[in-house]
Each structure stands twice: as structure tokens, then as C-alpha cells.
Amino acid sequence: MLKIKLITIYKYLLLGIIALTFLFSGFIQYFIGVSSTLYTLGLTAYAGLLIVFDILLRRKVIVNRFIFVYLFLIIIITVSAVINKSGLLKLLLYLNFALIPLFTSYLMKLNNVLKVDLKKTLSNVFLTTALIQLPIILIQKYGYNFLIGLSRANQKIASVDFMFGSFAVKADHALGFFLIMYMLSLIFKKRSGENPKWFYFLIAYISITILIMESNLTKLVLFGVISFYFYLWSYKKIGVLGIVVLFLMAVLGFNLMIKSSFIGNEIYQILNRFSPEDSYKAVTRGYEKRPQVVVYQLNYEPFKWIGNGPYDYYDIIKGEFKKTIHFSQIIWFYNDIGIIGLLVALMAALLIVKSLNLRRESMMVLLMIMLLYLFMSNLFGDISMMLSLMLLSNKEG
């Protein structure tokens, strides 16, 4: 009887962290003024307490490859901090990049072990989260001049960063990642033989939401996901003609992409400004793109085995970037904890994808998506992005 009550408490605590992550983080940070760093640390501690609660309840610890990979990442971060004399505070804050994926992966595994009966409730929460984003970002888009005066956030927010929905302030990539994961969950259900309610409406609705928001990365991923699964459907239905359809869609899509000022500029940068010389000029003169930052690091800085120490690329104490404001998980990890830490992090990403029991082609799609977001954002440092992967757990057997 006591165990049943404790599991019920666990369920409510789990729902609490999901609500605080997806539904209320933007409101709390924007209108109340809780800093993004403090809020993330609070949610990480919350997730850790959930795990401690389960260990005390069952007197068991889930041990698998995740645990060892993340513990190895923690050791690398610690070693880098000690060697580079980064300081205790920077070390403790940087450990969040290992603890967030560790805790969220543990919780996903724990839900399967406990057989927590929250499928319907979580489905409703995630559906609500997906549906409310469009009206919220429309209000944010057209009400910026009014709403910005109500901000109590501890950071400046430009109009292009204002469409973060109900997610954390300026977290448009996190919102986009969630919407892509929700779309994939619908597609996976369809492919496994289920018939999700409002399937085509939700696909269209989410697509419109993504096209309105400012995350160009998410728009690219949206195009790739729809193209890939439409191709699989076409090939299954009409055989070789599906290949022709895919080719035509690829040509059309490429033409549309290069006509976009943002995407066209990105393609131009990759094709024409990718040399070490041009990358050096771009970084030193302040107009660099992320690929140029990577080329610059590999050609004009010492090769980093263990890195320059936690929060060397971005000094979280001072709130200042060392050289360039363009960042991502991959760029930060290579600079701060070196190639060893980066490879371990990529291994962790692969294990996360493999743990979701997806079909081979879907696993490859998800891995590519995660790599893109790792290159464009701090995926491991955003608990909403990591919890979004719960949407895909056991959806495509």
C-alpha cells in the first residue's frame, strides 16, 4: 500500500517537472525574472531528486551503458577543470552538461522499468504543449513592442529571439526541437500501425508553427523530415516512381532553399568561405559562421586533447565570450574539454538514439537531427530538449 502511494507521488513529481519545463518556463523567466541558468539548475536538481526518490523507494539503481558514458564525461570535465585551474564554481556549473542528459535518460528508462501509467496524461500534456505554441508565438511576434516593456528577464531580447513560445526565454531552438520530436512521434505511431487522432491536421499545424517561428535550423529539419518520410511512403506505394518523386522534391527544395536569404547565405558561406584563410578573417573581424569557427579552431589554435577548461569559450561568471558569440555544444565541448570530451558526448548521443528502439532508418534520421542541433545549440545543456526525447520512447517497434 505504501509503495503504491509512493509511486503515485512519483507520478505527480514527474508531471511537475514536465509542466515546469514545457509550459511555465517562459512565463517564470520572463515575467518573474528567474535567470535562465538558475532555472535550469533548479530543474536539473528536481530531476536528480526524482531519481533519488526512486532509489530510496525501490532500493535499486538502474545500471547500463548510459551511466558509465556520462560518468566518464563527468571525469573528463573534472580533469580538464583541474588541469586548467578553472575553479570550482565553473566546474560545478559545467557538470550540468553531463547531468542533464544523464538524469533525463535515466528517467526515460525508469518510466519503462516502473511501468508508470502516465501514457494518456503525458500524451495530453504534450498535445497541449504543441497546440498552444502557435497562438503564443503569434502574440509574441506581433506584440513585441508592447510585451518587451513587461519583461523582467535578466537578458536583452531582440525581436528575432522573441518567439520562444512557452519555453525558456530565447529558446527558439528548444521549441523547434520539441515540435520536430512531436511530429516524429506522430509519424512513428502511423508507421507502427496506429492511427493517431488528427494526424494530418497536427502535421500541418506543427509545420505552420515552425514556418512562422525564427529557428531556421528547425525549418531545414522540417523539410528534411517531411521529404524523407514522404519518400518512404511513395516508394512503398509506387515503387521506383518514389525515387523520381524524391529527386524532383530535392531539386525543388534546393531551389527554394537557395532563394532564402538566410539559407542561401549559409550555403554560400560553406561553399566559398570555408578555407582557413577566409575563416581566420571571418573570426578576427567578427562576421564568422559556426563552420568557420570550427575551421579556425582546427587551423589556428593548438589541438585540444583535454580542452582549455570548463567555460573557457564562454565565461559564465563574467557573462562574456572569449572570441566569438557564435557557439554550439560541439564548439564549446571541443574548446573546453577537448576532442576526448567531444567524442564521449557524441557517443552519449548515439546511445540515446539507440535506446529508443526505432527502426534503422528512423534511428539514422534522429541521429542526424541531434547532430545538427548539437552543432547549432547546446542540446545537452537544455533540459527541455532532452526531455522532448520522451516523445519517441517505444513509439516505433
Side-chain angles (χ1 to χ4, degrees), residues 69-84:
V69 171
Y70 292 126
L71 286 178
F72 190 29
L73 184 57
I74 289 172
I75 291 171
I76 292 171
I77 293 171
T78 304
V79 170
S80 179
V82 171
I83 291 176
N84 293 285

Side-chain angles (χ1 to χ4, degrees), residues 40-192:
T40 300
L41 290 172
L43 289 177
T44 306
Y46 190 150
L49 288 174
L50 264 177
I51 294 171
V52 171
F53 181 83
D54 168 72
I55 294 173
L56 294 176
L57 172 66
R58 298 188 306 122
R59 298 180 182 178
K60 293 181 180 179
V61 177
I62 298 174
V63 178
N64 54 26
R65 289 176 294 179
F66 285 115
I67 301 295
F68 296 108
V69 171
Y70 292 126
L71 286 178
F72 190 29
L73 184 57
I74 289 172
I75 291 171
I76 292 171
I77 293 171
T78 304
V79 170
S80 179
V82 171
I83 291 176
N84 293 285
K85 300 178 181 179
S86 302
L88 182 60
L89 182 56
K90 285 185 178 180
L91 167 61
L92 294 176
L93 292 173
Y94 208 86
L95 288 176
N96 221 35
F97 289 124
L99 294 178
I100 286 177
L102 170 60
F103 290 167
T104 52
S105 299
Y106 194 100
L107 287 176
M108 283 191 284
K109 184 67 175 178
L110 182 58
N111 289 340
N112 295 330
V113 171
L114 293 179
K115 295 183 169 61
V116 177
D117 186 20
L118 280 174
K119 185 176 180 180
K120 186 175 181 179
T121 303
L122 286 176
S123 178
N124 290 333
V125 171
F126 290 137
L127 174 61
T128 300
T129 303
L131 290 176
I132 65 174
Q133 301 310 314
L134 180 55
I136 292 177
I137 65 172
L138 286 174
I139 293 171
Q140 291 170 337
K141 180 180 178 68
Y142 295 106
Y144 173 77
N145 292 331
F146 170 74
L147 291 172
I148 196 65
L150 304 177
S151 174
R152 298 191 65 181
N154 64 340
Q155 53 185 310
K156 293 181 179 179
I157 311 173
S159 58
V160 294
D161 297 321
F162 201 64
M163 284 183 279
F164 48 83
S166 65
F167 284 60
V169 171
K170 299 175 71 172
D172 56 336
H173 281 327
L175 169 58
F177 188 80
F178 168 83
L179 293 173
I180 291 294
M181 293 304 107
Y182 193 86
M183 177 179 286
L184 285 176
S185 74
L186 295 173
I187 293 173
F188 292 171
K189 286 180 182 179
K190 192 78 170 176
R191 282 164 55 81
S192 65

